[in-house]
Amino acid sequence: MSNTRDGRGAGSIAAGVGGASELMYDAVVLTGGRSSRLGGVAKSTLIVDGFSLLERTCSALNEARRLVVVGGPAPDLPPRAELVREDPPFGGPAAAVSAAVVHLMTDPAPWVLVLACDMPRISDALPALMLGAAETGASVLAHDGGRDQPLAALYRWADLATVEKQEVRNLSMRALLARVTWSPVEVPAGSTTDIDTWSDARQFGVEEPGAGR
């Protein structure tokens, strides 16, 4: 495959989900970053509207055939989640995706939904991703605020099946997916906004531990 950003803007959430519910997919949630700009506080543990970011992300994935969480042990891990660890730990998102692909290899679904766990509103983006994949038959990345989001994306298994053969240590997702043909999908504004800093967190009502003391 060539490194191609398909120019077709595939669908929008306003169009409804249509045949998207017929897609069979596994879900991969990435939780293993160092959270250095949060002082080492794991993003997955941040509480938004009463639930951790890990809980919020996983609760949006009830229709996934399998749920794979890449990262360390967590007390709020759903019972059905399959926990795997990237190699090396904290090796970056490409290493995490590679670990999930290897884990799924013996029994993959036709599609793989890949999500970082630090997007509190990600559930708003999922109908558009499902519709876009159903309409184009191609891997689709969320397009939000002028940016394409490789960690809010629905990939064809065939596009990910070779990533375990690559050297993924500290590799960017862009480099990992250089040979994947994909389409951008417009998602609701702000649905892929992520939390990287305490300033970001405060926008969602999350305060830094010890703030105001």
Side-chain angles (χ1 to χ4, degrees):
M1 293 184 183
S2 60
N3 180 15
T4 304
R5 182 184 187 277
D6 192 321
R8 294 169 294 176
S12 69
I13 194 169
V17 297
S21 61
E22 299 174 3
L23 293 179
M24 179 183 293
Y25 68 96
D26 296 325
V28 173
V29 178
L30 311 186
T31 72
R34 293 184 185 275
S35 301
S36 58
R37 285 186 283 176
L38 292 172
V41 176
K43 295 180 184 181
S44 61
T45 67
L46 298 178
I47 304 298
V48 176
D49 295 334
F51 297 93
S52 73
L53 289 184
L54 178 59
E55 289 176 306
R56 289 176 66 89
T57 304
C58 291
S59 68
L61 303 172
N62 291 331
E63 294 185 2
R65 191 191 63 139
R66 296 171 67 181
L67 172 61
V68 178
V69 175
V70 186
D76 48 0
L77 196 69
R80 78 184 187 103
E82 304 168 34
L83 183 66
V84 300
R85 192 60 160 146
E86 71 272 30
D87 182 22
F90 306 112
V97 170
S98 178
V101 168
V102 171
H103 181 75
L104 291 168
M105 187 67 69
T106 58
D107 182 28
W111 297 87
V112 183
L113 179 67
V114 174
L115 301 176
C117 76
D118 59 356
M119 298 175 282
R121 301 190 183 113
I122 192 58
S123 61
D124 293 341
L126 299 187
L129 286 174
M130 296 294 169
L131 180 61
E135 287 183 344
T136 67
S139 295
V140 291
L141 275 62
H143 185 79
D144 181 13
R147 297 172 57 198
D148 297 312
Q149 300 283 2
L151 298 182
L154 186 59
Y155 296 102
R156 295 191 317 136
W157 171 256
D159 288 338
L160 292 185
T162 62
V163 302
E164 87 285 357
K165 299 177 182 178
Q166 301 186 40
E167 171 54 53
V168 295
R169 186 188 299 262
N170 296 320
L171 192 68
S172 71
M173 281 297 296
R174 297 290 181 187
L176 184 73
L177 300 173
R179 297 183 179 181
V180 173
T181 299
W182 52 273
S183 295
V185 172
E186 293 292 337
V187 298
S191 59
T192 67
T193 299
D194 57 0
I195 295 178
D196 284 327
T197 67
W198 287 114
S199 177
D200 298 335
R202 285 191 287 274
Q203 296 180 33
F204 293 95
V206 180
E207 291 295 333
E208 183 174 358
R213 292 185 182 177

